[in-house]
Amino acid sequence: METLFANWHHLSFGDGGWGWNLLRGLSSTLQIALGAYFLGLVIGLLGAVGKRDGSRLTRYLLEIYTTLIRAIPELVLILLLYYAGTGLVNQLMESMGYRPIDISGLVAGIVVLGIVQGAYSIEVIRGAMRVVPRGQLEAAEAFGMGRWMILRRITLPAMLPHALPGLSNLWLIVTKETALLSVVGFSELALTTRQAAGASRAYFMFFLVAACLYLCVSLLSNELFRRLEKRARRGQPELN
Amino acid sequence: MQWAWVAEYFPNFIDGIVITLKMLGLSIAIGMALAIPIGLVQVTGPRWLAMLARAFCTIIRGTPLLIQLWLLYYGLGSLFPLVPEIRNSFLWPLLRDAFPYAVLAFSLSVAGYEGEIMRGAFKGVPKGELEAARAFGMSRFTLLRRIWLPRALQNVLPTLAGEFVLTLKATPLAATITVFDVYGVGTLVRQETYRVYEPLLVVAGIYLCLTALIVLFFRWLEQRIPRPA
């Protein structure tokens, strides 16, 4: 027990302490998670509309995308997308006569996780869209609203209460998935923790602290989404 | 693209598949065995036990599996050698190996996620059926064994296929603590052949096949198990 708690000084924010490094790691984690989440939402919205109204080819391609992403482990996907993505961009740059660029870990992380999130978002949003009554859409059409306006004014607000539980899950998943980026060497919270643990030999304490930080993020997000859902459901009967 | 290495590493991949499936099977079995009491005490147990189970689910679901895995392997694993009694015990060879830590981490994860689902499943069993059983004079334990548990398990069966796929997709994390599963073998090939994409594509293909097998198996299983009317 004494060995467990004799090394609190490693967490300090002063000289030789890892406090600031951990907070910087946490901030990278949150930046990536937010970026990937919103990229995923955009893909999800476009994909859900595409799966509903798209041509046969569009629907077929989207089906392949969602199936592949959901069947292959995230770790493998991240490596594949990371290497293939940076490789492709640099080949493109070279073929256009530019020098290869160094793609920032932040952008690569956001794009890679965003593509993974997108597949799940499509399914969540598609499911929620199905709940919107047909009559409401027909009424909007009868009033002369265009497709874009119907989406913005009717479909999105009406489906939101049904989509929020799924979207809240996706947010919790993406905050945890950022940890996988440590495998490609992006220094978010997990990798920073591992470096701190290795340097100080205080493995147990550092991983415990990291777990607590992730847990705080999850608990805060839960509360936030609970309020959002309450607001989106205002005027509707309570769920139990 | 070069594929000449595939023949050479074929046996390694077979070994990797065996290890991956072993991890998957053990984790689901242990995880489900833990999930049943975790779900049950939240519905019927004493308050403190229910709170404990609830906290366990929150912690497991609120932290990344990778961190849990590293906490167990690097964290706990670095504490055990400090205790001479453990070092000299029969458990030591087991505790030095990475595989048991991986199974433990995945089992706890399954227990956390499936425990939450079992809670809903126990709650979802119609009250009338339980009252009828009580009216027939069944004791609490008989009631659980004959009515409550089978009905709850029937309800979670469709989610179980998803849990298998999710756990399969989590197993590659074990490679970060030196377990040579399918993903670990892929990493080995990448280091030894300096090829980047081909081994990753083979690994992705193997996981695709395993996922498809799980999905097909459960489709077959669901046809054989009578559904509640």
Side-chain angles (χ1 to χ4, degrees), chain A residues 3 68-76 79-80 83-84 120 176 179-180 182-183 190 194 203-204 207-208 211 214-215 218-219, chain B residues 58-59 61-64 66-67 70-71 74-76 78-79 82 113 169 172-173 183 190 196-197 200-201 203-204 207-208 211:
Chain A
T3 47
L68 279 185
I69 298 277
R70 290 191 301 166
I72 298 174
E74 276 74 14
L75 202 55
V76 180
L79 285 183
L80 267 176
Y83 290 123
Y120 291 91
K176 289 183 284 166
L180 301 184
S182 59
V183 174
R194 200 172 164 170
Y203 290 96
F204 193 78
F207 287 125
L208 205 61
Y214 280 108
L215 190 62
S218 295
L219 292 177
Chain B
T58 309
I59 290 171
R61 287 151 45 98
T63 53
L66 189 65
I67 296 288
W70 287 355
L71 179 67
Y74 295 113
L76 271 186
S78 71
L79 297 183
L82 304 177
Y113 283 89
K169 286 174 62 180
L173 295 183
Y183 179 87
R190 275 173 53 213
V196 180
Y197 300 109
L200 279 174
L201 287 175
V203 168
Y207 282 108
L208 262 179
T211 307

Short mmCIF file of all heavy atoms in Angstrom, two decimals, chain A residues 3 68-76 79-80 83-84 120 176 179-180 182-183 190 194 203-204 207-208 211 214-215 218-219, chain B residues 58-59 61-64 66-67 70-71 74-76 78-79 82 113 169 172-173 183 190 196-197 200-201 203-204 207-208 211:
data_model
loop_
_atom_site.label_atom_id
_atom_site.label_comp_id
_atom_site.label_asym_id
_atom_site.label_seq_id
_atom_site.Cartn_x
_atom_site.Cartn_y
_atom_site.Cartn_z
N THR A 3 3.82 1.63 -1.14
CA THR A 3 4.44 1.85 -2.45
C THR A 3 3.44 2.44 -3.43
O THR A 3 3.81 3.15 -4.34
CB THR A 3 5.00 0.53 -3.02
OG1 THR A 3 3.99 -0.45 -2.87
CG2 THR A 3 6.26 0.12 -2.34
N LEU A 68 -18.79 -2.96 -43.52
CA LEU A 68 -17.35 -3.16 -43.33
C LEU A 68 -16.88 -2.50 -42.04
O LEU A 68 -16.19 -3.11 -41.23
CB LEU A 68 -16.56 -2.57 -44.50
CG LEU A 68 -16.47 -3.42 -45.76
CD1 LEU A 68 -15.55 -2.76 -46.77
CD2 LEU A 68 -15.94 -4.81 -45.41
N ILE A 69 -17.27 -1.25 -41.84
CA ILE A 69 -16.79 -0.52 -40.66
C ILE A 69 -17.26 -1.21 -39.38
O ILE A 69 -16.53 -1.28 -38.40
CB ILE A 69 -17.29 0.94 -40.67
CG1 ILE A 69 -16.75 1.68 -41.89
CG2 ILE A 69 -16.91 1.66 -39.39
CD1 ILE A 69 -15.39 2.23 -41.78
N ARG A 70 -18.48 -1.75 -39.40
CA ARG A 70 -19.00 -2.33 -38.16
C ARG A 70 -18.50 -3.74 -37.92
O ARG A 70 -18.68 -4.28 -36.84
CB ARG A 70 -20.53 -2.29 -38.17
CG ARG A 70 -21.02 -0.86 -38.02
CD ARG A 70 -22.47 -0.78 -37.76
NE ARG A 70 -23.23 -1.41 -38.83
CZ ARG A 70 -24.50 -1.71 -38.73
NH1 ARG A 70 -25.14 -1.45 -37.63
NH2 ARG A 70 -25.13 -2.27 -39.73
N ALA A 71 -17.86 -4.37 -38.94
CA ALA A 71 -17.42 -5.75 -38.77
C ALA A 71 -15.91 -5.86 -38.50
O ALA A 71 -15.45 -6.88 -38.03
CB ALA A 71 -17.78 -6.58 -39.99
N ILE A 72 -15.15 -4.80 -38.79
CA ILE A 72 -13.69 -4.87 -38.63
C ILE A 72 -13.31 -4.13 -37.34
O ILE A 72 -13.84 -3.06 -37.07
CB ILE A 72 -12.99 -4.25 -39.85
CG1 ILE A 72 -13.35 -5.04 -41.10
CG2 ILE A 72 -11.48 -4.24 -39.67
CD1 ILE A 72 -12.84 -4.43 -42.38
N PRO A 73 -12.40 -4.71 -36.55
CA PRO A 73 -12.00 -4.05 -35.29
C PRO A 73 -11.48 -2.64 -35.52
O PRO A 73 -10.77 -2.38 -36.49
CB PRO A 73 -10.89 -4.95 -34.76
CG PRO A 73 -11.13 -6.27 -35.38
CD PRO A 73 -11.73 -6.00 -36.72
N GLU A 74 -11.83 -1.74 -34.61
CA GLU A 74 -11.43 -0.33 -34.73
C GLU A 74 -9.92 -0.18 -34.86
O GLU A 74 -9.44 0.65 -35.62
CB GLU A 74 -11.91 0.47 -33.51
CG GLU A 74 -13.34 0.96 -33.59
CD GLU A 74 -14.34 -0.14 -33.40
OE1 GLU A 74 -13.92 -1.22 -32.93
OE2 GLU A 74 -15.52 0.04 -33.73
N LEU A 75 -9.19 -1.00 -34.10
CA LEU A 75 -7.74 -0.88 -34.11
C LEU A 75 -7.19 -1.13 -35.52
O LEU A 75 -6.31 -0.40 -36.01
CB LEU A 75 -7.15 -1.90 -33.13
CG LEU A 75 -5.77 -1.63 -32.60
CD1 LEU A 75 -5.68 -0.26 -31.96
CD2 LEU A 75 -5.37 -2.69 -31.61
N VAL A 76 -7.72 -2.16 -36.19
CA VAL A 76 -7.29 -2.48 -37.56
C VAL A 76 -7.70 -1.35 -38.51
O VAL A 76 -6.92 -0.91 -39.35
CB VAL A 76 -7.91 -3.82 -38.02
CG1 VAL A 76 -7.46 -4.15 -39.42
CG2 VAL A 76 -7.53 -4.93 -37.06
N LEU A 79 -5.42 1.73 -38.14
CA LEU A 79 -4.13 1.56 -38.81
C LEU A 79 -4.30 1.65 -40.32
O LEU A 79 -3.54 2.35 -41.00
CB LEU A 79 -3.51 0.22 -38.44
CG LEU A 79 -2.92 0.12 -37.04
CD1 LEU A 79 -2.29 -1.23 -36.83
CD2 LEU A 79 -1.89 1.21 -36.83
N LEU A 80 -5.30 0.92 -40.86
CA LEU A 80 -5.51 0.92 -42.31
C LEU A 80 -5.79 2.33 -42.82
O LEU A 80 -5.15 2.81 -43.76
CB LEU A 80 -6.70 0.03 -42.66
CG LEU A 80 -6.39 -1.43 -43.02
CD1 LEU A 80 -7.68 -2.19 -43.24
CD2 LEU A 80 -5.53 -1.51 -44.27
N TYR A 83 -2.59 4.74 -42.35
CA TYR A 83 -1.51 4.57 -43.33
C TYR A 83 -2.01 4.83 -44.75
O TYR A 83 -1.36 5.51 -45.53
CB TYR A 83 -0.90 3.18 -43.22
CG TYR A 83 -0.11 3.00 -41.96
CD1 TYR A 83 -0.42 1.99 -41.06
CD2 TYR A 83 0.94 3.86 -41.67
CE1 TYR A 83 0.30 1.83 -39.89
CE2 TYR A 83 1.66 3.71 -40.49
CZ TYR A 83 1.33 2.70 -39.60
OH TYR A 83 2.03 2.56 -38.45
N ALA A 84 -3.17 4.26 -45.08
CA ALA A 84 -3.70 4.44 -46.43
C ALA A 84 -4.00 5.90 -46.67
O ALA A 84 -3.68 6.45 -47.73
CB ALA A 84 -4.95 3.60 -46.62
N TYR A 120 -21.62 4.35 -37.75
CA TYR A 120 -22.58 4.14 -36.66
C TYR A 120 -23.65 5.22 -36.65
O TYR A 120 -24.82 4.96 -36.40
CB TYR A 120 -21.85 4.09 -35.31
CG TYR A 120 -20.99 2.87 -35.15
CD1 TYR A 120 -19.66 2.87 -35.52
CD2 TYR A 120 -21.53 1.69 -34.63
CE1 TYR A 120 -18.88 1.73 -35.38
CE2 TYR A 120 -20.75 0.56 -34.48
CZ TYR A 120 -19.42 0.59 -34.87
OH TYR A 120 -18.66 -0.53 -34.74
N LYS A 176 -13.86 7.23 -25.80
CA LYS A 176 -13.03 6.09 -25.39
C LYS A 176 -12.16 5.59 -26.54
O LYS A 176 -11.07 5.10 -26.32
CB LYS A 176 -13.93 4.97 -24.87
CG LYS A 176 -14.55 5.32 -23.52
CD LYS A 176 -15.37 4.20 -22.96
CE LYS A 176 -16.69 4.10 -23.66
NZ LYS A 176 -17.38 2.84 -23.37
N ALA A 179 -8.44 6.63 -27.29
CA ALA A 179 -7.32 5.95 -26.65
C ALA A 179 -6.57 5.06 -27.66
O ALA A 179 -5.37 4.86 -27.53
CB ALA A 179 -7.80 5.11 -25.47
N LEU A 180 -7.31 4.56 -28.66
CA LEU A 180 -6.68 3.67 -29.64
C LEU A 180 -5.65 4.40 -30.50
O LEU A 180 -4.76 3.79 -31.07
CB LEU A 180 -7.74 3.04 -30.55
CG LEU A 180 -8.81 2.22 -29.84
CD1 LEU A 180 -9.73 1.59 -30.86
CD2 LEU A 180 -8.17 1.14 -29.00
N SER A 182 -3.33 6.06 -29.55
CA SER A 182 -2.00 5.95 -28.95
C SER A 182 -1.17 4.92 -29.72
O SER A 182 0.05 4.99 -29.73
CB SER A 182 -2.11 5.55 -27.48
OG SER A 182 -2.77 4.32 -27.37
N VAL A 183 -1.86 3.96 -30.38
CA VAL A 183 -1.14 2.92 -31.10
C VAL A 183 -0.42 3.48 -32.33
O VAL A 183 0.63 2.98 -32.73
CB VAL A 183 -2.12 1.79 -31.50
CG1 VAL A 183 -1.46 0.77 -32.37
CG2 VAL A 183 -2.66 1.14 -30.24
N ALA A 190 -4.09 8.51 -23.35
CA ALA A 190 -3.60 7.15 -23.09
C ALA A 190 -2.09 7.04 -23.29
O ALA A 190 -1.39 6.45 -22.47
CB ALA A 190 -4.32 6.15 -23.98
N ARG A 194 0.91 6.40 -20.59
CA ARG A 194 1.85 5.28 -20.69
C ARG A 194 3.29 5.77 -20.57
O ARG A 194 4.12 5.14 -19.93
CB ARG A 194 1.62 4.58 -22.02
CG ARG A 194 2.18 3.20 -21.99
CD ARG A 194 1.82 2.42 -23.21
NE ARG A 194 2.69 1.27 -23.27
CZ ARG A 194 2.52 0.27 -24.11
NH1 ARG A 194 1.51 0.27 -24.93
NH2 ARG A 194 3.36 -0.74 -24.10
N TYR A 203 3.26 2.59 -12.53
CA TYR A 203 2.26 2.16 -13.53
C TYR A 203 0.85 2.22 -12.98
O TYR A 203 -0.05 2.80 -13.57
CB TYR A 203 2.56 0.73 -13.99
CG TYR A 203 3.79 0.62 -14.82
CD1 TYR A 203 5.01 0.26 -14.24
CD2 TYR A 203 3.76 0.87 -16.18
CE1 TYR A 203 6.15 0.14 -15.00
CE2 TYR A 203 4.90 0.76 -16.96
CZ TYR A 203 6.09 0.40 -16.36
OH TYR A 203 7.21 0.30 -17.12
N PHE A 204 0.66 1.57 -11.81
CA PHE A 204 -0.69 1.41 -11.30
C PHE A 204 -1.35 2.76 -11.07
O PHE A 204 -2.48 3.01 -11.50
CB PHE A 204 -0.65 0.61 -9.99
CG PHE A 204 -2.00 0.14 -9.55
CD1 PHE A 204 -2.59 -0.96 -10.14
CD2 PHE A 204 -2.68 0.80 -8.54
CE1 PHE A 204 -3.84 -1.40 -9.74
CE2 PHE A 204 -3.92 0.36 -8.14
CZ PHE A 204 -4.50 -0.74 -8.74
N PHE A 207 -2.23 4.74 -14.47
CA PHE A 207 -3.37 4.22 -15.22
C PHE A 207 -4.67 4.43 -14.46
O PHE A 207 -5.72 4.66 -15.04
CB PHE A 207 -3.16 2.74 -15.57
CG PHE A 207 -2.14 2.55 -16.65
CD1 PHE A 207 -1.05 1.74 -16.45
CD2 PHE A 207 -2.26 3.23 -17.85
CE1 PHE A 207 -0.09 1.58 -17.44
CE2 PHE A 207 -1.31 3.08 -18.86
CZ PHE A 207 -0.22 2.26 -18.64
N LEU A 208 -4.58 4.37 -13.12
CA LEU A 208 -5.76 4.63 -12.30
C LEU A 208 -6.22 6.09 -12.48
O LEU A 208 -7.41 6.37 -12.65
CB LEU A 208 -5.44 4.35 -10.83
CG LEU A 208 -6.61 4.01 -9.93
CD1 LEU A 208 -7.29 2.75 -10.44
CD2 LEU A 208 -6.13 3.80 -8.50
N ALA A 211 -7.83 6.50 -15.86
CA ALA A 211 -9.18 5.93 -15.85
C ALA A 211 -10.15 6.91 -15.21
O ALA A 211 -11.26 7.13 -15.69
CB ALA A 211 -9.19 4.60 -15.12
N TYR A 214 -10.98 9.77 -17.65
CA TYR A 214 -11.96 9.34 -18.66
C TYR A 214 -13.34 9.22 -18.03
O TYR A 214 -14.35 9.58 -18.63
CB TYR A 214 -11.55 7.99 -19.26
CG TYR A 214 -10.49 8.08 -20.32
CD1 TYR A 214 -9.20 7.64 -20.07
CD2 TYR A 214 -10.78 8.56 -21.58
CE1 TYR A 214 -8.22 7.69 -21.05
CE2 TYR A 214 -9.82 8.61 -22.58
CZ TYR A 214 -8.54 8.18 -22.30
OH TYR A 214 -7.58 8.23 -23.27
N LEU A 215 -13.38 8.69 -16.80
CA LEU A 215 -14.67 8.49 -16.12
C LEU A 215 -15.36 9.83 -15.89
O LEU A 215 -16.58 9.96 -16.08
CB LEU A 215 -14.45 7.75 -14.80
CG LEU A 215 -15.71 7.26 -14.11
CD1 LEU A 215 -16.45 6.27 -14.98
CD2 LEU A 215 -15.37 6.62 -12.77
N SER A 218 -16.95 10.95 -19.01
CA SER A 218 -18.18 10.18 -19.28
C SER A 218 -19.33 10.66 -18.41
O SER A 218 -20.45 10.85 -18.91
CB SER A 218 -17.95 8.70 -19.01
OG SER A 218 -17.03 8.17 -19.90
N LEU A 219 -19.06 10.85 -17.12
CA LEU A 219 -20.15 11.23 -16.20
C LEU A 219 -20.69 12.61 -16.55
O LEU A 219 -21.90 12.82 -16.59
CB LEU A 219 -19.65 11.20 -14.75
CG LEU A 219 -19.32 9.80 -14.22
CD1 LEU A 219 -18.76 9.86 -12.81
CD2 LEU A 219 -20.56 8.91 -14.26
N THR B 58 -21.05 1.45 -14.30
CA THR B 58 -20.71 2.81 -14.71
C THR B 58 -19.21 2.94 -14.98
O THR B 58 -18.79 3.55 -15.97
CB THR B 58 -21.12 3.82 -13.62
OG1 THR B 58 -22.47 3.57 -13.29
CG2 THR B 58 -20.96 5.24 -14.10
N ILE B 59 -18.41 2.36 -14.10
CA ILE B 59 -16.95 2.50 -14.26
C ILE B 59 -16.48 1.75 -15.50
O ILE B 59 -15.70 2.28 -16.30
CB ILE B 59 -16.23 1.97 -12.99
CG1 ILE B 59 -16.47 2.92 -11.83
CG2 ILE B 59 -14.74 1.81 -13.25
CD1 ILE B 59 -16.00 2.42 -10.49
N ARG B 61 -18.18 0.96 -18.17
CA ARG B 61 -18.68 1.58 -19.40
C ARG B 61 -18.13 2.98 -19.61
O ARG B 61 -18.19 3.51 -20.72
CB ARG B 61 -20.21 1.60 -19.40
CG ARG B 61 -20.81 0.22 -19.63
CD ARG B 61 -22.16 0.08 -18.96
NE ARG B 61 -23.00 1.22 -19.18
CZ ARG B 61 -23.95 1.27 -20.12
NH1 ARG B 61 -24.17 0.22 -20.88
NH2 ARG B 61 -24.67 2.33 -20.26
N GLY B 62 -17.59 3.59 -18.54
CA GLY B 62 -17.15 4.98 -18.65
C GLY B 62 -15.67 5.15 -18.90
O GLY B 62 -15.19 6.26 -19.05
N THR B 63 -14.90 4.04 -18.93
CA THR B 63 -13.47 4.16 -19.16
C THR B 63 -13.07 3.29 -20.35
O THR B 63 -13.70 2.27 -20.60
CB THR B 63 -12.67 3.71 -17.92
OG1 THR B 63 -13.10 2.41 -17.55
CG2 THR B 63 -12.88 4.64 -16.75
N PRO B 64 -12.03 3.70 -21.10
CA PRO B 64 -11.63 2.92 -22.28
C PRO B 64 -11.09 1.55 -21.88
O PRO B 64 -10.37 1.42 -20.89
CB PRO B 64 -10.51 3.76 -22.90
CG PRO B 64 -10.62 5.10 -22.30
CD PRO B 64 -11.21 4.92 -20.95
N LEU B 66 -8.88 -0.09 -23.32
CA LEU B 66 -7.41 -0.10 -23.42
C LEU B 66 -6.78 0.28 -22.08
O LEU B 66 -5.81 -0.33 -21.64
CB LEU B 66 -6.96 0.87 -24.51
CG LEU B 66 -5.49 0.83 -24.90
CD1 LEU B 66 -5.13 -0.49 -25.53
CD2 LEU B 66 -5.15 1.97 -25.84
N ILE B 67 -7.36 1.30 -21.42
CA ILE B 67 -6.83 1.73 -20.12
C ILE B 67 -7.06 0.65 -19.07
O ILE B 67 -6.19 0.38 -18.24
CB ILE B 67 -7.51 3.06 -19.70
CG1 ILE B 67 -7.16 4.19 -20.68
CG2 ILE B 67 -7.11 3.46 -18.29
CD1 ILE B 67 -5.74 4.67 -20.58
N TRP B 70 -4.45 -2.02 -19.66
CA TRP B 70 -3.12 -1.60 -19.22
C TRP B 70 -3.05 -1.48 -17.70
O TRP B 70 -2.03 -1.78 -17.10
CB TRP B 70 -2.74 -0.25 -19.87
CG TRP B 70 -2.43 -0.37 -21.31
CD1 TRP B 70 -2.36 -1.53 -22.04
CD2 TRP B 70 -2.14 0.69 -22.22
NE1 TRP B 70 -2.06 -1.25 -23.34
CE2 TRP B 70 -1.93 0.10 -23.49
CE3 TRP B 70 -2.06 2.08 -22.11
CZ2 TRP B 70 -1.61 0.85 -24.62
CZ3 TRP B 70 -1.74 2.83 -23.23
CH2 TRP B 70 -1.53 2.23 -24.47
N LEU B 71 -4.15 -1.05 -17.07
CA LEU B 71 -4.16 -0.96 -15.61
C LEU B 71 -3.97 -2.35 -15.01
O LEU B 71 -3.21 -2.52 -14.04
CB LEU B 71 -5.50 -0.36 -15.14
CG LEU B 71 -5.67 -0.23 -13.63
CD1 LEU B 71 -4.70 0.78 -13.06
CD2 LEU B 71 -7.09 0.18 -13.28
N TYR B 74 -0.05 -3.80 -16.80
CA TYR B 74 1.13 -3.04 -16.35
C TYR B 74 0.98 -2.63 -14.89
O TYR B 74 1.94 -2.67 -14.13
CB TYR B 74 1.33 -1.80 -17.21
CG TYR B 74 1.67 -2.12 -18.64
CD1 TYR B 74 0.77 -1.82 -19.66
CD2 TYR B 74 2.87 -2.72 -18.97
CE1 TYR B 74 1.08 -2.11 -20.98
CE2 TYR B 74 3.18 -3.02 -20.29
CZ TYR B 74 2.28 -2.72 -21.29
OH TYR B 74 2.58 -3.02 -22.58
N GLY B 75 -0.24 -2.21 -14.49
CA GLY B 75 -0.45 -1.70 -13.15
C GLY B 75 -0.39 -2.79 -12.11
O GLY B 75 0.55 -2.88 -11.32
N LEU B 76 -1.40 -3.70 -12.13
CA LEU B 76 -1.41 -4.80 -11.17
C LEU B 76 -0.20 -5.69 -11.37
O LEU B 76 0.43 -6.13 -10.41
CB LEU B 76 -2.69 -5.64 -11.35
CG LEU B 76 -3.91 -5.23 -10.56
CD1 LEU B 76 -5.00 -6.25 -10.76
CD2 LEU B 76 -3.57 -5.09 -9.10
N SER B 78 2.68 -4.94 -12.16
CA SER B 78 3.91 -4.40 -11.59
C SER B 78 3.88 -4.45 -10.06
O SER B 78 4.90 -4.27 -9.42
CB SER B 78 4.13 -2.96 -12.05
OG SER B 78 3.20 -2.10 -11.44
N LEU B 79 2.67 -4.66 -9.50
CA LEU B 79 2.58 -4.73 -8.03
C LEU B 79 2.83 -6.15 -7.52
O LEU B 79 3.41 -6.34 -6.45
CB LEU B 79 1.20 -4.26 -7.56
CG LEU B 79 0.84 -2.81 -7.86
CD1 LEU B 79 -0.52 -2.47 -7.28
CD2 LEU B 79 1.90 -1.86 -7.29
N LEU B 82 6.12 -7.43 -6.12
CA LEU B 82 6.56 -6.83 -4.85
C LEU B 82 6.15 -7.69 -3.67
O LEU B 82 6.67 -7.53 -2.57
CB LEU B 82 5.97 -5.42 -4.69
CG LEU B 82 6.27 -4.43 -5.83
CD1 LEU B 82 5.58 -3.11 -5.58
CD2 LEU B 82 7.78 -4.22 -5.95
N TYR B 113 -21.11 -4.38 -19.54
CA TYR B 113 -22.09 -4.02 -20.56
C TYR B 113 -23.30 -4.94 -20.51
O TYR B 113 -24.45 -4.50 -20.60
CB TYR B 113 -21.45 -4.08 -21.96
CG TYR B 113 -20.58 -2.89 -22.25
CD1 TYR B 113 -19.23 -2.90 -21.92
CD2 TYR B 113 -21.10 -1.75 -22.84
CE1 TYR B 113 -18.43 -1.81 -22.17
CE2 TYR B 113 -20.30 -0.66 -23.10
CZ TYR B 113 -18.97 -0.69 -22.76
OH TYR B 113 -18.18 0.40 -23.00
N LYS B 169 -14.28 -7.69 -31.69
CA LYS B 169 -13.63 -6.48 -32.19
C LYS B 169 -12.72 -5.85 -31.15
O LYS B 169 -11.89 -5.02 -31.47
CB LYS B 169 -14.68 -5.47 -32.65
CG LYS B 169 -15.33 -5.87 -33.97
CD LYS B 169 -16.45 -4.96 -34.33
CE LYS B 169 -15.97 -3.55 -34.51
NZ LYS B 169 -17.07 -2.65 -34.87
N PRO B 172 -8.29 -7.44 -30.43
CA PRO B 172 -6.96 -7.00 -30.90
C PRO B 172 -6.21 -6.14 -29.88
O PRO B 172 -4.98 -6.06 -29.94
CB PRO B 172 -7.29 -6.16 -32.15
CG PRO B 172 -8.58 -6.64 -32.61
CD PRO B 172 -9.33 -7.08 -31.41
N LEU B 173 -6.93 -5.52 -28.94
CA LEU B 173 -6.25 -4.71 -27.93
C LEU B 173 -5.24 -5.55 -27.15
O LEU B 173 -4.25 -5.04 -26.65
CB LEU B 173 -7.27 -4.10 -26.95
CG LEU B 173 -8.25 -3.11 -27.53
CD1 LEU B 173 -9.13 -2.56 -26.43
CD2 LEU B 173 -7.52 -1.98 -28.22
N TYR B 183 -4.40 -10.18 -34.66
CA TYR B 183 -3.83 -8.84 -34.85
C TYR B 183 -2.34 -8.83 -34.50
O TYR B 183 -1.54 -8.23 -35.20
CB TYR B 183 -4.59 -7.84 -33.98
CG TYR B 183 -4.07 -6.44 -34.08
CD1 TYR B 183 -4.52 -5.59 -35.06
CD2 TYR B 183 -3.13 -5.98 -33.18
CE1 TYR B 183 -4.04 -4.30 -35.16
CE2 TYR B 183 -2.63 -4.70 -33.25
CZ TYR B 183 -3.09 -3.86 -34.25
OH TYR B 183 -2.60 -2.60 -34.33
N ARG B 190 4.14 -7.42 -40.18
CA ARG B 190 4.48 -6.06 -40.64
C ARG B 190 5.91 -5.71 -40.27
O ARG B 190 6.64 -5.10 -41.04
CB ARG B 190 3.52 -5.04 -40.04
CG ARG B 190 2.25 -4.90 -40.84
CD ARG B 190 1.24 -4.02 -40.14
NE ARG B 190 1.78 -2.74 -39.76
CZ ARG B 190 1.42 -2.08 -38.67
NH1 ARG B 190 0.51 -2.58 -37.87
NH2 ARG B 190 1.94 -0.92 -38.39
N VAL B 196 3.23 -2.75 -45.31
CA VAL B 196 2.29 -2.04 -44.44
C VAL B 196 0.86 -2.53 -44.65
O VAL B 196 0.19 -2.94 -43.70
CB VAL B 196 2.35 -0.52 -44.68
CG1 VAL B 196 1.35 0.19 -43.76
CG2 VAL B 196 3.75 -0.01 -44.43
N TYR B 197 0.40 -2.51 -45.92
CA TYR B 197 -1.04 -2.72 -46.16
C TYR B 197 -1.44 -4.18 -46.17
O TYR B 197 -2.46 -4.56 -45.62
CB TYR B 197 -1.44 -2.09 -47.50
CG TYR B 197 -1.19 -0.62 -47.54
CD1 TYR B 197 -0.18 -0.11 -48.33
CD2 TYR B 197 -1.97 0.25 -46.79
CE1 TYR B 197 0.07 1.25 -48.36
CE2 TYR B 197 -1.73 1.60 -46.81
CZ TYR B 197 -0.70 2.09 -47.60
OH TYR B 197 -0.46 3.43 -47.63
N LEU B 200 -2.28 -5.96 -42.95
CA LEU B 200 -3.47 -5.36 -42.35
C LEU B 200 -4.73 -5.83 -43.08
O LEU B 200 -5.76 -6.09 -42.46
CB LEU B 200 -3.38 -3.83 -42.41
CG LEU B 200 -2.55 -3.17 -41.32
CD1 LEU B 200 -2.42 -1.69 -41.58
CD2 LEU B 200 -3.18 -3.41 -39.96
N LEU B 201 -4.63 -5.94 -44.43
CA LEU B 201 -5.79 -6.38 -45.20
C LEU B 201 -6.14 -7.83 -44.87
O LEU B 201 -7.32 -8.18 -44.72
CB LEU B 201 -5.53 -6.22 -46.70
CG LEU B 201 -5.55 -4.78 -47.20
CD1 LEU B 201 -5.17 -4.70 -48.67
CD2 LEU B 201 -6.93 -4.16 -46.98
N VAL B 203 -5.49 -9.35 -42.03
CA VAL B 203 -6.07 -9.33 -40.68
C VAL B 203 -7.53 -8.87 -40.74
O VAL B 203 -8.41 -9.50 -40.15
CB VAL B 203 -5.24 -8.39 -39.77
CG1 VAL B 203 -5.97 -8.11 -38.47
CG2 VAL B 203 -3.89 -9.02 -39.47
N ALA B 204 -7.78 -7.79 -41.50
CA ALA B 204 -9.16 -7.30 -41.62
C ALA B 204 -10.06 -8.38 -42.21
O ALA B 204 -11.18 -8.60 -41.76
CB ALA B 204 -9.20 -6.04 -42.49
N TYR B 207 -10.95 -11.03 -39.61
CA TYR B 207 -11.98 -10.56 -38.66
C TYR B 207 -13.35 -10.51 -39.34
O TYR B 207 -14.36 -10.81 -38.71
CB TYR B 207 -11.61 -9.20 -38.07
CG TYR B 207 -10.58 -9.30 -36.98
CD1 TYR B 207 -9.28 -8.87 -37.17
CD2 TYR B 207 -10.91 -9.87 -35.75
CE1 TYR B 207 -8.33 -8.99 -36.19
CE2 TYR B 207 -9.96 -9.98 -34.75
CZ TYR B 207 -8.68 -9.54 -34.98
OH TYR B 207 -7.74 -9.67 -34.00
N LEU B 208 -13.37 -10.11 -40.62
CA LEU B 208 -14.64 -10.11 -41.35
C LEU B 208 -15.26 -11.50 -41.38
O LEU B 208 -16.46 -11.67 -41.10
CB LEU B 208 -14.40 -9.64 -42.79
CG LEU B 208 -14.67 -8.19 -43.12
CD1 LEU B 208 -14.35 -7.92 -44.57
CD2 LEU B 208 -16.13 -7.86 -42.84
N THR B 211 -16.55 -12.46 -37.93
CA THR B 211 -17.82 -11.78 -37.65
C THR B 211 -18.97 -12.45 -38.38
O THR B 211 -20.03 -12.71 -37.80
CB THR B 211 -17.75 -10.30 -38.09
OG1 THR B 211 -16.61 -9.70 -37.48
CG2 THR B 211 -18.99 -9.55 -37.69
#
